[in-house]
């Protein structure tokens, strides 16, 4: 979990206790030209319950020492402060079990609110409670173990030096004869001397504090809520108050605003709208601007392609402005954006690194295996672009992830009558490419898909490009690759035995001929990889030494005994395995690094993992919902030879960053996690059971010889198994403008699957 490699405080322009960490010179467009600060909302609250000791300690361990720890200050019945995300205790503590049936209704700023309230319990009673995670997408494994902290205990945690107190409900507490101002100035500051930031959404409280604090050491910050919310002191909306920045400057040195105030996201499309002038206007008024609402596991805009660093960079790396800091649940990622990527010319990609191999091109951005997906992959820095070869009924070889056209194309809108069951390929019914002619396939549109588009709520990819792009023939793919700056191509061959014996289609012959026609069997400038889960397919290419054979092992495994390794070497010099075969996981926690890498590397067999995705649902909790940390772990931590990914830009960004270099003198590096380290922090009583994968066996490797291509009587003329003529460059024409709603696809899938 530890990423930081420095021991210093905040950058110039902010009150600091020491001068050890000195940010590198950059032309920041912040108010003072200083590096933006990272404010950890309740510590690393994206992982642990907010304000827990574990959350604060992780935040300090994983960030630079200028990171600021934010405490949302609430009060007990006896007027003592505690750090809790809300005035109500339900959903954030174990109050329901400790004080059942003691809910009350209280008026908070004109609204009647029901629940358990901290102000009804003494600090001693609150000491009987434990914190719980209140975001349902985050792990509950750390619930019921961490007590509620007080502000003075936070600074006693190792390395915590900067504290930010946010007072969200001063008016409410004053109605219960509790003064937040008095607590801070007469009690808390006698115990701790490093309260550098005090914020509140209530102007009356800030004006009171303005007369009490030393402005040389403490900053007052106005916490702006949603535009239509009403500020209780003035009874004006926050949107209207924000129109008079000069007035705000009279009682505050800065403002905190939800990020949508700065860069709005269209509520309907979820794409970014042009940035407002708020940051520039505030800076002109002498106000610092801190943006809030950042979390890796809350998707805001499709523009970011599920890469959280990209969102931070939008707010600090542009020609118009830079915010002065971020309030975030994932402070490690904010630190990465600031230190590793902002205002930095990324290096040339390192040579001592794993290959970046695409999975259907840049299929996280465009429909997989289309011309747009392949071009995007090249632009994003992929080393190897891939084509999984499918066959049409009349023998045209083309690129598509699966022979089932449902989900990857618009086939379900026009060819449902051709849906059938092929148990040799998949359990579900499908519309298969080998049952349609190339002309019929060309009449369809590609369709971007996501493994999470049926989650709740669904997570879909780049809907603006849902049906953009063109299908690419194998010939067209190879010609494309020859003209691009990629190291090579990976040709993936599946279902060869079925196609030969049941459909009269020779996919191996089609690949062999296409590679020869494109002279890949003669040129040595670009690597050709032939991948298959069928050893008999790989054996068909043994007479071309220039081709690198890759055995695809789909099942989860943990080791490769010597006899299995020797069998693999007969067919392949590389292996593609699932990422969980290299780092085992259970209930979204990593558990351990397996022996598969050691076993295969000992025989000089390269190991590639498949497939990485940016969506947080695909990422183990250990990686902090940050795909860059997952890349770092597989590349630097365990040392795989290739990373297969649907988002090659993310892997390329990591490898071109200075923070990927293993240099101890750097202030900050994106370091790999230690598998199982986070799981070790969970309570033994509730810790999930570790799942151990079996070792590979010879039976997992060896397949029967391929059957001969058997002509099928109902096949269309010319379906001999060779590649049929295709449009020049592999780009189809006359594509029908047919669409299918997500709901219709889901309904069809439910009906056809029978559940």
């Amino acid at each position: 979990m530890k990423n930081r490699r420095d021991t210093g405080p905040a950058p110039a322009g902010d009150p600091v206790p020491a001068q050890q960490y000195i940010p590198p010179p950059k032309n920041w467009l912040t108010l003072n030209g200083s590096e933006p600060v990272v404010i950890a909302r309740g510590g690393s609250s994206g992982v642990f319950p907010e304000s827990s000791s574990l959350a604060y300690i992780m935040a300090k361990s994983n960030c630079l020492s200028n990171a600021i720890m934010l405490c949302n200050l609430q009060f007990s019945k006896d007027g003592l402060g505690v750090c809790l995300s809300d005035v109500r205790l339900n959903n954030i503590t174990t109050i329901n079990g400790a004080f059942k049936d003691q809910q009350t209704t209280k008026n908070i700023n004109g609204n009647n609110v029901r629940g358990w309230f901290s102000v009804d319990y003494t600090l001693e009673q609150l000491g009987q409670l434990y914190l719980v995670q209140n975001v349902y997408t985050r792990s509950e494994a750390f619930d019921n173990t961490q007590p509620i902290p007080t502000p003075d205990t936070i600074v006693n945690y190792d390395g915590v030096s900067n504290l930010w107190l946010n007072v969200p409900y001063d008016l409410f507490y004053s109605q219960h004869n509790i003064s937040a101002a008095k607590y801070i100035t007469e009690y808390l500051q006698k115990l701790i001397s490093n309260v550098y930031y005090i914020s509140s959404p209530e102007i009356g409280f800030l004006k009171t504090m303005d007369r009490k604090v030393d402005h040389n050491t403490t900053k007052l910050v106005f916490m702006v809520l949603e535009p239509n919310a009403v500020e209780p002191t003035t009874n004006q909306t926050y949107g209207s108050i924000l129109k008079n920045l000069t007035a705000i400057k009279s009682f505050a040195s800065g403002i905190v605003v939800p990020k949508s105030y700065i860069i709005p996201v269209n509520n309907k499309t979820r794409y970014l709208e042009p940035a407002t002038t708020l940051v520039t206007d505030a800076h002109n008024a002498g106000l610092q601007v801190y943006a809030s609402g950042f979390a890796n596991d809350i998707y805001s805009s499709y523009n970011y392609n599920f890469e959280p660093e990209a969102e931070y960079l939008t707010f600090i790396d542009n020609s118009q402005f830079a915010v002065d800091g971020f309030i975030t649940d994932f402070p490690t990622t904010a630190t990465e954006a600031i230190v590793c990527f902002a205002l930095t010319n990324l290096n040339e990609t390192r040579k001592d690194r794993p290959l970046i191999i695409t999975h259907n091109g840049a299929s996280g951005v465009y429909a997989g295996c289309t011309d747009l997906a392949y071009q995007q992959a090249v632009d994003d820095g992929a080393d190897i672009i891939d084509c999984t070869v499918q066959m049409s009924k009349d023998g045209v070889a083309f690129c598509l992830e699966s022979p089932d056209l449902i989900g990857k194309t618009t086939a379900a809108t026009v060819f449902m009558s051709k849906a059938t069951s092929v148990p040799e390929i998949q359990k579900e019914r499908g519309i298969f490419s080998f049952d349609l002619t190339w002309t019929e396939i060309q009449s369809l549109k590609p369709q971007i898909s996501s493994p999470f588009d049926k989650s709740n709520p669904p997570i879909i990819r780049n809907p603006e490009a849902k049906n953009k792009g063109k299908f690419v023939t194998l010939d067209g793919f190879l010609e494309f690759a020859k003209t691009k700056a990629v190291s090579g191509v990976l040709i993936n061959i599946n279902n060869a035995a079925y196609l030969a014996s049941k459909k009269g289609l020779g996919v191996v012959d089609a690949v062999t001929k296409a590679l020869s026609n494109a002279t890949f069997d003669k040129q040595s400038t670009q690597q050709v990889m032939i991948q298959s889960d069928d050893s008999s397919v790989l054996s068909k290419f043994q007479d071309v030494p220039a081709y690198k054979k890759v055995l695809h092992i789909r099942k989860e495994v943990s080791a490769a005994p010597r006899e299995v390794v020797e069998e693999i070497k007969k067919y392949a010099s590389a292996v593609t395995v699932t990422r969980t075969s290299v780092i085992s996981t259970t209930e979204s926690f990593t558990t351990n690094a397996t022996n598969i890498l050691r076993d295969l590397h000992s025989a000089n067999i390269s190991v590639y993992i498949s497939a990485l995705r940016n969506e947080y649902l695909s990422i183990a909790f250990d990686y902090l919902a940050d795909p860059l940390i997952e890349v770092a772990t597989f590349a630097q931590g365990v040392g795989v030879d290739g990373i297969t990914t649907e988002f090659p830009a993310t892997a390329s960004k990591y490898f071109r960053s200075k923070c990927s270099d293993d240099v101890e003198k750097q202030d900050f590096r994106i370091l790999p996690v230690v598998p199982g380290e986070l799981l070790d922090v969970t309570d033994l009583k509730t810790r999930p059971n570790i799942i151990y994968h079996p070792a590979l066996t010879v039976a997992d490797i060896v397949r029967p010889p391929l059957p001969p291509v058997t002509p099928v009587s109902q096949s269309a003329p010319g379906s001999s198994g060779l590649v049929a003529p295709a449009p020049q460059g592999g780009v189809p024409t006359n594509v029908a403008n047919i669409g299918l709603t997500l709901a219709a696809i889901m309904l069809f899938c439910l009906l056809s699957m029978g559940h």
Side-chain angles (χ1 to χ4, degrees):
M1 292 188 292
K2 292 189 176 182
N3 282 25
R4 73 186 271 271
R5 285 291 183 272
D6 86 300
T7 54
D14 287 304
V16 295
Q19 294 294 333
Q20 294 172 323
Y21 168 61
I22 302 176
K26 293 182 180 180
N27 295 320
W28 293 106
L29 296 180
T30 53
L31 177 63
N32 299 321
S34 314
E35 183 178 273
V37 295
V38 176
I39 304 112
R41 190 180 71 91
S44 290
S45 53
V47 181
F48 299 108
E50 181 180 336
S51 296
S52 63
S53 60
L54 288 175
Y56 285 120
I57 291 170
M58 172 182 262
K60 287 306 302 180
S61 297
N62 283 16
C63 300
L64 295 172
S65 60
N66 64 336
I68 301 162
M69 302 296 111
L70 186 146
C71 161
N72 279 303
L73 187 63
Q74 314 295 345
F75 287 93
S76 64
K77 186 176 183 178
D78 39 358
L80 297 174
V82 292
C83 296
L84 287 168
S85 60
D86 191 43
V87 66
R88 290 176 297 175
L89 301 172
N90 32 304
N91 300 323
I92 60 173
T93 72
T94 55
I95 185 71
N96 190 27
F99 298 98
K100 193 174 182 180
D101 301 327
Q102 292 190 17
Q103 295 186 74
T104 60
T105 299
K106 298 186 186 300
N107 187 278
I108 301 179
N109 298 337
N111 298 309
N112 289 326
V113 179
R114 185 163 179 78
W116 290 267
F117 297 85
S118 62
V119 75
D120 290 332
Y121 303 92
T122 64
L123 186 62
E124 182 179 0
Q125 289 174 311
L126 294 177
Q128 302 174 35
L129 308 180
Y130 294 95
L131 298 168
V132 299
Q133 180 61 260
N134 66 334
V135 179
Y136 80 94
T137 56
R138 299 171 183 173
S139 176
E140 299 176 351
F142 310 103
D143 291 357
N144 309 320
T145 63
Q146 301 290 298
I148 300 171
T150 56
D152 51 301
T153 60
I154 295 173
V155 295
N156 292 325
Y157 300 144
D158 181 36
V160 173
S161 56
N162 304 324
L163 186 63
W164 179 310
L165 292 179
N166 181 49
V167 181
Y169 298 108
D170 176 65
L171 185 60
F172 168 76
Y173 286 114
S174 66
Q175 293 168 352
H176 291 78
N177 298 318
I178 295 172
S179 170
K182 183 177 181 180
Y183 169 80
I184 293 171
T185 57
E186 297 183 12
Y187 175 75
L188 192 58
Q189 288 191 335
K190 292 180 180 179
L191 298 178
I192 55 179
S193 58
N194 46 359
V195 179
Y196 297 125
Y197 300 83
I198 299 173
S199 64
S200 178
E202 299 184 8
I203 292 175
F205 170 75
L206 291 174
K207 288 183 174 180
T208 298
M209 294 302 297
D210 187 43
R211 298 187 295 268
K212 293 178 176 289
V213 301
D214 181 351
H215 292 282
N216 293 318
T217 59
T218 303
K219 293 189 175 186
L220 298 180
V221 183
F222 181 40
M223 181 77 69
V224 179
L225 304 184
E226 295 302 321
N228 293 327
V230 176
E231 194 280 319
T233 307
T234 63
N235 287 322
Q236 298 181 49
T237 65
Y238 288 94
S240 62
I241 293 173
L242 209 56
K243 294 177 181 178
N244 191 346
L245 295 169
T246 303
I248 296 174
K249 177 61 178 171
S250 67
F251 59 83
S253 64
I255 56 175
V256 173
V257 294
K259 58 188 178 181
S260 59
Y261 274 87
I262 301 170
I263 303 179
V265 177
N266 187 288
N267 290 330
K268 293 183 178 179
T269 67
R270 305 306 302 167
Y271 287 96
L272 295 180
E273 296 182 346
T276 69
T277 61
L278 175 60
V279 176
T280 302
D281 294 342
H283 284 172
N284 289 338
L287 290 166
Q288 291 186 308
V289 181
Y290 305 93
S292 66
F294 290 87
N296 295 2
D297 53 1
I298 299 176
Y299 297 137
S300 59
S301 171
Y302 295 115
N303 295 77
Y304 304 127
N305 290 322
F306 308 102
E307 186 182 289
E309 288 81 5
E311 181 175 24
Y312 290 104
L313 290 173
T314 306
F315 288 79
I316 56 175
D317 192 349
N318 62 72
S319 61
Q320 299 174 344
F321 65 87
V323 298
D324 300 276
F326 297 105
I327 296 181
T328 174
D329 294 6
F330 291 85
T332 306
T333 303
T335 305
E336 291 170 5
I338 294 168
V339 178
C340 305
F341 301 110
L343 305 183
T344 299
N345 292 321
L346 295 180
N347 304 324
E348 289 295 321
T349 184
R350 292 167 42 199
K351 300 191 185 320
D352 58 333
R353 61 163 178 82
L355 292 170
I356 301 173
I357 306 169
T358 66
H359 188 244
N360 310 311
S363 55
V365 182
Y366 290 105
C369 299
T370 58
D371 58 339
L372 295 180
Y374 288 129
Q375 184 59 58
Q376 187 69 50
V378 173
D379 295 342
D380 289 344
D383 299 308
I384 306 292
I385 56 174
D386 71 306
C387 170
T388 296
V389 182
Q390 308 302 337
M391 300 293 290
S392 69
K393 184 176 181 179
D394 47 351
V396 177
F398 67 103
C399 305
L400 198 66
E401 180 179 8
S402 167
D404 184 4
L405 302 176
I406 293 176
K408 310 298 181 185
T409 75
T410 55
T413 62
V414 288
F415 290 119
M416 281 304 302
S417 61
K418 295 196 175 187
T420 186
S421 295
V422 183
E424 296 93 334
I425 294 178
Q426 64 185 38
K427 296 178 181 179
E428 302 83 7
R429 288 168 58 84
I431 302 171
F432 295 95
S433 65
F434 44 73
D435 291 331
L436 275 68
T437 66
W438 178 239
T439 299
E440 289 174 318
I441 293 172
Q442 285 182 288
S443 72
L444 305 174
K445 281 191 172 184
Q447 187 161 284
I448 194 169
S449 63
S450 165
F452 312 108
D453 57 13
K454 294 179 178 62
S455 63
N456 185 22
I459 298 174
I460 60 177
R461 294 172 172 173
N462 196 12
E464 194 175 69
K466 178 179 179 181
N467 298 119
K468 290 184 178 180
K470 300 173 182 177
F471 299 114
V472 178
T473 63
L474 177 57
D475 289 337
F477 170 80
L478 295 174
E479 288 301 320
F480 171 84
K482 287 176 67 175
T483 64
K484 301 299 179 180
V486 293
S487 302
V489 296
L490 183 147
I491 308 300
N492 190 33
I493 303 173
N494 302 319
N495 308 310
Y498 175 83
L499 290 172
S501 62
K502 299 295 180 66
K503 294 296 176 179
L505 297 170
V507 63
V508 171
D509 296 334
V511 170
T512 301
K513 183 176 180 180
L515 287 169
S516 178
N517 288 344
T519 68
F520 271 94
D521 57 340
K522 300 179 180 63
Q523 58 108 342
S524 59
T525 56
Q526 290 177 305
Q527 173 75 67
V528 174
M529 297 182 179
I530 304 294
Q531 176 174 280
S532 181
D533 56 0
D534 190 332
S535 59
S536 63
V537 169
L538 299 179
S539 66
K540 292 291 185 179
F541 294 90
Q542 294 293 357
D543 59 346
V544 187
Y547 297 167
K548 187 180 184 73
K549 273 70 73 178
V550 183
L551 180 65
H552 190 184
I553 300 171
R554 299 181 183 277
K555 67 181 290 187
E556 293 180 304
V557 295
S558 61
R562 179 172 297 180
E563 65 273 15
V564 176
V565 172
E566 293 303 316
E567 194 66 32
I568 292 174
K569 290 174 66 177
K570 296 177 183 178
Y571 308 101
S573 59
V575 167
T576 295
V577 297
T578 65
R579 56 185 175 167
T580 52
S581 293
V582 175
I583 297 179
S584 184
T585 62
T586 181
E587 296 187 22
S588 293
F589 286 95
T590 67
T591 57
N592 62 287
T594 70
N595 294 327
I596 193 74
L597 270 177
R598 179 202 64 187
D599 296 343
L600 294 172
H601 279 172
S602 67
N604 201 30
I605 296 174
S606 301
V607 179
Y608 312 140
I609 57 163
S610 183
L612 299 192
R613 301 179 175 98
N614 283 4
E615 291 94 340
Y616 77 89
L617 287 180
S618 74
I619 299 175
F621 291 131
D622 307 61
Y623 306 128
L624 313 184
D626 186 338
L628 287 178
I629 296 178
E630 183 177 34
V631 171
T633 301
F634 281 105
Q636 302 269 66
V638 295
V640 299
D641 304 291
I643 291 173
T644 304
T645 174
E646 297 176 357
F647 295 86
T650 300
S652 178
K653 177 185 286 188
Y654 169 74
F655 291 126
R656 290 186 294 130
S657 166
K658 67 175 184 178
C659 295
S660 67
D661 289 337
D662 192 16
V663 179
E664 284 292 336
K665 292 182 180 180
Q666 289 193 148
D667 294 317
F668 180 86
R669 288 180 292 150
I670 304 173
L671 293 183
V673 304
V674 178
E677 185 180 59
L678 188 61
L679 188 65
D680 288 343
V681 181
T682 61
D683 190 344
L684 271 173
K685 297 177 182 177
T686 58
R687 186 172 299 172
N689 295 324
I690 297 177
I691 300 173
Y692 294 96
H693 303 308
L696 267 174
T697 66
V698 172
D700 295 325
I701 305 302
V702 180
R703 296 287 186 274
L706 284 180
V709 177
T710 304
V712 181
S713 58
Q714 66 267 28
S715 294
S719 59
S720 62
L722 301 179
V723 179
Q728 184 177 2
V731 178
T733 57
N734 301 323
V735 180
N737 184 19
I738 301 171
L740 179 65
T741 64
L742 178 63
I745 292 176
M746 293 175 64
L747 179 60
F748 164 75
C749 292
L750 290 171
L751 293 174
S752 61
M753 294 170 59
H755 57 79

